[in-house]
Amino acid sequence: MRNYPLAPETDGARRSPRSRVSRIAARAALTLTLVAGVTGGVVAPAQAASPYERGPAPTESSVTATRGYFDTDTESVSSWVSGFGGGTIFYPSDSNQTFGGVVIAPGYTASSSTMEWMGHRIASQGFVVFTIDTNTRYDQPDSRGRQLEAALDYLADDSDVSDLVDGDRMAVMGHSMGGGGTLAAAEDRPELRAAIPLTPWHTQKNWDDVQVPTMIIGAENDSVASVRSHSIPFYESLDDNLESAYVELEGASHFAPNMSNTAIAKYSISWLKRFVDEDERYEQFLCPPPSTGLFSDFSDYRDTCPHLT
C-alpha cells in the first residue's frame, strides 16, 4: 500500500476515497495470499513468465552491477535530427531479441554526457537506451517533454537500431527539468510503460492525470528542486490507482543523478524491468520497500506495494 506521510496532502491533489479503499483491499488480499503461500496455509497461484523477460534470474549482485548480462554497443545520433538535439543510443549487441526502449533527458544547461553513465549500465540489463541532448540547453520542462516524445518516436521508428526496439514497450527518464519533462511526457502518453523523474523540477505540481507507472527519485539535500516543493508534491498528486514510488536519497544533492549511483541504478533498473518487461522476478527489489534513516541509502521511501499489474 502507498505509505502516506504525516504531513497534509498537497493542495489541489484530487483523491477518490472509493478508489483508495478498493486498492487497499486488493493489495491486502494479494499480500495475504502471498504470505499464506509462503507459510503453507494456501498455495499462491503460479505466475506465468512474462514473454518480455530478458536475461537470467536476477540477484542483488546482478542488479547492482555496473554491467549486466548483455554486451552493449553505441550509435551516435546527429543533432540535425528533427525534434531534439541528437544523442547516443546504447543497445544490447549480438542479440536477436527485441527490447524495451528508454529515452533519458538531461537537466537545465546540461548535455547528454551527464546521463551517459546510465547508458551501458541500463542497456546491459536488456534495454535500448537513448541519452539525448535538447535543442538548447535552456529548454524548459514541457519542451523537454516534447523532445523526449520525439526521441521515443525516432528510436522506435527511424533509428539504425529500430529493429531491436519494441515500440509498444517504451519508457522515459530525465534529470531536473528533464525530470519535469519526464512527467509531462508521461502525462501526454499514457501508453508508456514507465517513467522515472530524477530530482525533477517543474512549476506544475499536480500530476493526477498521469497513467504511467512512475518512480520519482528525490534527493534529501536538494537545494535546486527541494523535495518539499517538487518531488514530494509531485508524488502525492499522483492518482491512488497508479503504481508509483517515491525514493529519497539520504544526504544527496540535486546533482546525484549526474554521476554513477548504485541506488539510482538498482531501483531504476528494477522499475523498468517490472513495468516495461512485466518481469515479476524484479518485484523482490521493490517490495517490501527498503528501510530508511540511519545506515540506509534512503531518507524516505513511499510505495504502492505489492504491485498489482
Side-chain angles (χ1 to χ4, degrees):
M1 293 177 286
R2 175 173 291 179
N3 298 321
Y4 293 95
L6 296 178
E9 293 175 353
T10 306
D11 290 344
R14 297 191 296 273
R15 299 191 177 278
S16 165
R18 180 176 298 175
S19 67
R20 179 184 297 174
V21 170
S22 61
R23 186 179 183 85
I24 291 173
R27 291 191 186 284
L30 177 58
T31 301
L32 287 173
T33 299
L34 294 175
V35 169
V38 171
T39 59
V42 177
V43 177
Q47 298 295 318
S50 165
Y52 310 121
E53 286 183 3
R54 301 292 183 262
T59 63
E60 179 70 20
S61 61
S62 74
V63 81
T64 57
T66 56
R67 291 295 181 97
Y69 298 108
F70 292 93
D71 292 332
T72 56
D73 207 342
T74 60
E75 180 77 25
S76 294
V77 177
S78 169
S79 60
W80 291 101
V81 296
S82 177
F84 57 98
T88 304
I89 300 172
F90 302 79
Y91 62 94
S93 55
D94 301 323
S95 176
N96 58 3
Q97 298 174 297
T98 58
F99 302 91
V102 184
V103 179
I104 307 176
Y108 186 67
T109 76
S111 72
S112 62
S113 63
T114 60
M115 299 279 92
E116 283 187 357
W117 71 268
M118 295 183 179
H120 286 296
R121 191 161 187 165
I122 296 176
S124 66
Q125 297 285 351
F127 296 96
V128 178
V129 180
F130 192 7
T131 58
I132 67 168
D133 283 304
T134 46
N135 290 322
T136 79
R137 296 197 177 193
Y138 308 102
D139 293 333
Q140 296 297 298
D142 287 341
S143 173
R144 290 169 190 266
R146 291 189 293 273
Q147 292 176 61
L148 279 166
E149 294 183 64
L152 286 166
D153 294 337
Y154 175 86
L155 182 63
D157 300 330
D158 299 315
S159 72
D160 289 343
V161 297
S162 60
D163 58 322
L164 295 178
V165 181
D166 183 343
D168 292 328
R169 297 190 297 113
M170 306 293 279
V172 285
M173 299 177 65
H175 173 235
S176 192
M177 285 193 181
T182 296
L183 286 164
E187 183 178 60
D188 193 50
R189 293 202 177 187
E191 69 272 16
L192 292 175
R193 296 298 187 93
I196 307 177
L198 306 165
T199 61
W201 190 101
H202 204 296
T203 56
Q204 179 177 328
K205 305 305 178 184
N206 193 328
W207 298 97
D208 67 345
D209 287 334
V210 171
Q211 300 177 42
V212 179
T214 299
M215 170 178 277
I216 296 175
I217 299 181
E220 182 184 25
N221 295 337
D222 192 333
S223 60
V224 177
S226 163
V227 295
R228 292 296 171 187
S229 300
H230 295 272
S231 292
I232 291 175
F234 298 163
Y235 174 76
E236 284 301 302
S237 74
L238 296 172
D239 188 271
D240 283 311
N241 284 329
L242 182 70
E243 299 290 3
S244 60
Y246 171 61
V247 179
E248 186 177 291
L249 302 173
E250 173 81 22
S253 79
H254 181 70
F255 301 101
N258 290 159
M259 60 196 74
S260 182
N261 185 298
T262 297
I264 291 175
K266 173 184 175 179
Y267 285 87
S268 295
I269 290 166
S270 297
W271 196 259
L272 294 169
K273 284 288 190 178
R274 181 64 182 82
F275 293 104
V276 176
D277 288 356
E278 301 173 13
D279 192 336
E280 295 187 4
R281 298 177 301 174
Y282 285 80
E283 181 82 353
Q284 62 181 302
F285 305 114
L286 300 169
C287 301
S291 61
T292 60
L294 193 63
F295 307 120
S296 170
D297 290 327
F298 310 110
S299 49
D300 193 356
Y301 193 106
R302 314 177 195 186
D303 60 83
T304 52
C305 286
H307 301 298
L308 300 177
T309 57

